[in-house]
Amino acid sequence: MRISVIGCGYLGAVHAACMAQLGHDVVGIDVDERKISALARSKAPFFEPGLDDLLTEVQNTGRLNFTTDIAAAAGAKVHFVCVGTPQKKGENAADLTYVDSAISALLNHLAPGDVVVGKSTVPVGTARRLSAQVKDTQFDADLVWNPEFLREGHAVADTLHPDRFVYGVDNGSEDHRAVAILDEVYSTPLSTGTPRLITDHPTAELVKTAANSFLATKISFINAMAELCEAAEADVTQLADAIGLDDRIGRKFLNAGIGFGGGCLPKDIRAFMARAGELGADQALTFLREVDAINMRRRTRVVELTRQLCDGSLLGKRITVLGAAFKPESDDVRDSPALSIAAQLQLQGAVVTVTDPKALENAARRFPELHYEADTDKAVRGADALLLLTEWEDYRSLDPYELRSLVASTTILDGRNVLDAAKWRAAGWVYRGLGRP
Ligand code: UGA
């Protein structure tokens, strides 16, 4: 199948490579020349485990090409729209500029029977509006909304072996002619039994925002429990283990800590609330305001705890922040709680050094005023307190005995509750977790 992928960011670059891996002929298209020239050299413009190798493997087969020319979409049968939908500046709503311009550029290159597949996360109602445009052309094309559920850091595996496929088609029916075409695209994962659900357009769009809202709610729920555990001197990690054993609840996404960040969960819950307001259903989602508030409170809580650990004053204290990315196995710093905490500490007079295995370049672009050091040993030297804020394996496996000689004060705040508290205390450290006694 000939496929075009419009938008080659985290979602599109991975999708293009994976579609080629499944045996299709793929062209990836993006307006950003820097991105395209990197991808054309089999170099992902961001860190994603396994992606560089996959790009090399599929580009060697000749089945994957990249270009900035949207005209290259002509001749493809299926066109995946994978552009970003960031939060609008100064508003909660999603900015659909990139989706709209991708679709209108694509319209000039569609042929009869083509299928345009929306993968971006959009406010409910967008697909119906865009579908009218796609059908309105002389080309008689179809629009399917096929949300993506990949996680950064696991993007290749999530794309090749997803939990499920959702196809939103205008009549919500299995008989829709686009269904068979998309089945052919995904024939390999479908043949291994991956469930696929056919819905109408708005349901497909809502599946994605509902899933991300549920995940955000789960994290804020356990972080609210962490607040309570702190007040009652209980341990939220044991609480999570215990309630997680009930398979109606499940242990995943119950890790209390500094909360969620990244380019998806925070902006998606806000865009969802904004859209609900437009639909006159804002009451249904007022709980997401609380989810957001609990999440943001984690960051201020860590700043306060750090102040306590530094004998009541941050002024001139040397703080080392371990981790800048919004989560491990990623160099993405969009709305990273770790960086936001580092910046707040700096504003309050601390001397902050940030280290991270992959995200320092992106972090320095976003917060140039912070001090960055790639080498962990150098970064922790002379520190009055260490803050583990992104749980990279490098930091989980730090040796508390070896580290003692490097720091000025053996104090650590474990913002992700991943260290063995007893082991660190036995090595003479003041250990502080979140929601743990
Ligand atoms: C999220 C969803 O998990 C994906 O299913 C979805 O496809 C994606 O958004 C998207 O909309 O594109 P992602 O942003 O890559 O994926 O990151 P997650 O793994 O969901 O983590 C989000 C944040 O929650 C991270 O900052 C992480 O540290 C935090 N988190 C996660 C916790 O604080 N506690 C947990 O128990 C789990």
Side-chain angles (χ1 to χ4, degrees):
M1 181 88 65
R2 289 183 65 188
I3 288 176
S4 80
V5 175
I6 295 129
C8 293
Y10 284 98
L11 166 58
V14 175
H15 195 70
C18 289
M19 292 304 102
Q21 219 271 347
L22 293 179
H24 304 297
D25 247 323
V26 183
V27 59
I29 306 169
D30 199 292
V31 290
D32 184 338
E33 282 185 17
R34 197 187 54 91
K35 242 182 232 170
I36 289 299
S37 86
L39 285 165
R41 287 178 280 112
S42 299
K43 185 89 199 73
F46 48 83
F47 173 69
E48 180 61 42
L51 184 55
D52 281 350
D53 290 345
L54 179 62
L55 283 167
T56 309
E57 180 193 324
V58 288
Q59 270 170 328
N60 285 341
T61 67
R63 287 199 305 268
L64 177 62
N65 291 291
F66 290 99
T67 176
T68 53
D69 185 5
I70 185 76
K77 175 88 181 153
V78 177
H79 310 270
F80 285 99
V81 176
C82 296
V83 294
T85 52
Q87 190 173 338
K88 269 188 191 164
K89 290 208 164 66
E91 278 181 57
N92 271 347
D95 181 352
L96 293 180
T97 315
Y98 305 111
V99 173
D100 287 335
S101 59
I103 295 282
S104 60
L106 186 60
L107 287 178
N108 303 318
H109 306 287
L110 291 180
D114 278 7
V115 183
V116 179
V117 185
K119 293 203 80 69
S120 311
T121 301
V122 291
V124 59
T126 307
R128 264 197 191 141
R129 175 171 65 78
L130 297 177
S131 175
Q133 286 180 34
V134 169
K135 281 201 168 308
D136 229 356
T137 61
Q138 46 182 310
F139 301 118
D140 183 29
D142 292 304
L143 180 88
V144 181
W145 215 263
N146 170 223
E148 181 55 57
F149 304 102
L150 66 79
R151 297 159 298 165
E152 287 179 25
H154 306 268
V156 173
D158 285 353
T159 305
L160 292 172
H161 313 283
D163 293 336
R164 73 293 205 190
F165 290 107
V166 176
Y167 304 174
V169 288
D170 48 15
N171 64 0
S173 156
E174 181 85 31
D175 305 333
H176 195 289
R177 64 178 181 174
V179 168
I181 296 173
L182 213 50
D183 276 352
E184 205 178 320
V185 171
Y186 293 134
S187 61
T188 307
L190 285 172
S191 70
T192 63
T194 307
R196 107 156 148 34
L197 289 90
I198 309 294
T199 70
D200 53 23
H201 279 149
T203 307
E205 295 166 309
L206 280 174
V207 167
K208 175 60 194 270
T209 20
N212 275 4
S213 299
F214 190 84
L215 294 172
T217 304
K218 213 172 166 189
I219 298 168
S220 276
F221 173 82
I222 202 65
N223 280 330
M225 293 306 110
E227 288 184 16
L228 227 79
C229 283
E230 261 168 45
E233 292 174 28
D235 188 329
V236 74
T237 58
Q238 292 178 344
L239 180 138
D241 289 344
I243 62 172
L245 283 170
D246 180 335
D247 65 9
R248 293 170 303 172
I249 296 174
R251 180 63 178 82
K252 289 180 186 163
F253 271 65
L254 277 187
N255 295 320
I258 62 172
F260 58 81
C264 302
L265 300 192
K267 66 116 175 137
D268 286 353
I269 61 170
R270 292 172 193 155
F272 201 15
M273 285 186 273
R275 185 64 185 136
E278 288 167 4
L279 293 169
D282 43 345
Q283 254 194 329
L285 298 188
T286 43
F287 75 95
L288 286 180
R289 265 216 303 262
E290 201 50 46
V291 166
D292 205 354
I294 293 167
N295 192 52
M296 298 316 281
R297 217 153 57 218
R298 304 308 293 160
R299 304 179 185 189
T300 20
R301 175 74 187 134
V302 170
V303 174
E304 278 324 304
L305 266 180
T306 311
R307 193 194 315 281
Q308 281 173 27
L309 288 170
C310 291
D311 304 323
S313 169
L314 288 168
L315 276 181
K317 295 286 161 51
R318 295 164 67 94
I319 311 285
T320 299
V321 169
L322 302 167
F326 85 104
K327 67 174 193 181
E329 303 302 325
S330 170
D331 64 356
D332 193 349
V333 299
R334 286 176 293 171
D335 203 355
S336 162
L339 265 189
S340 147
I341 290 164
Q344 285 184 46
L345 290 167
Q346 168 106 346
L347 277 176
Q348 298 196 25
V351 180
V352 181
T353 297
V354 180
T355 187
D356 189 286
K358 296 284 177 194
L360 289 190
E361 241 177 79
N362 288 341
R365 258 196 298 275
R366 195 150 284 224
F367 288 102
E369 65 276 26
L370 293 169
H371 175 60
Y372 298 98
E373 172 54 61
D375 182 89
T376 311
D377 282 0
K378 285 187 191 151
V380 302
R381 196 156 289 151
D384 294 308
L386 305 184
L387 270 53
L388 194 169
L389 299 187
T390 311
E391 67 278 32
W392 287 95
E393 188 50 41
D394 297 15
Y395 307 142
R396 285 168 172 261
S397 56
L398 282 173
D399 183 337
Y401 293 93
E402 280 174 17
L403 226 52
R404 274 190 317 203
S405 60
L406 298 176
V407 295
S409 164
T410 46
T411 301
I412 186 155
L413 193 160
D414 179 5
R416 298 290 188 172
N417 289 335
V418 289
L419 299 177
D420 180 344
K423 180 173 158 193
W424 282 73
R425 287 187 179 127
W429 287 73
V430 173
Y431 168 93
R432 203 45 228 255
L434 295 180
R436 308 179 80 179

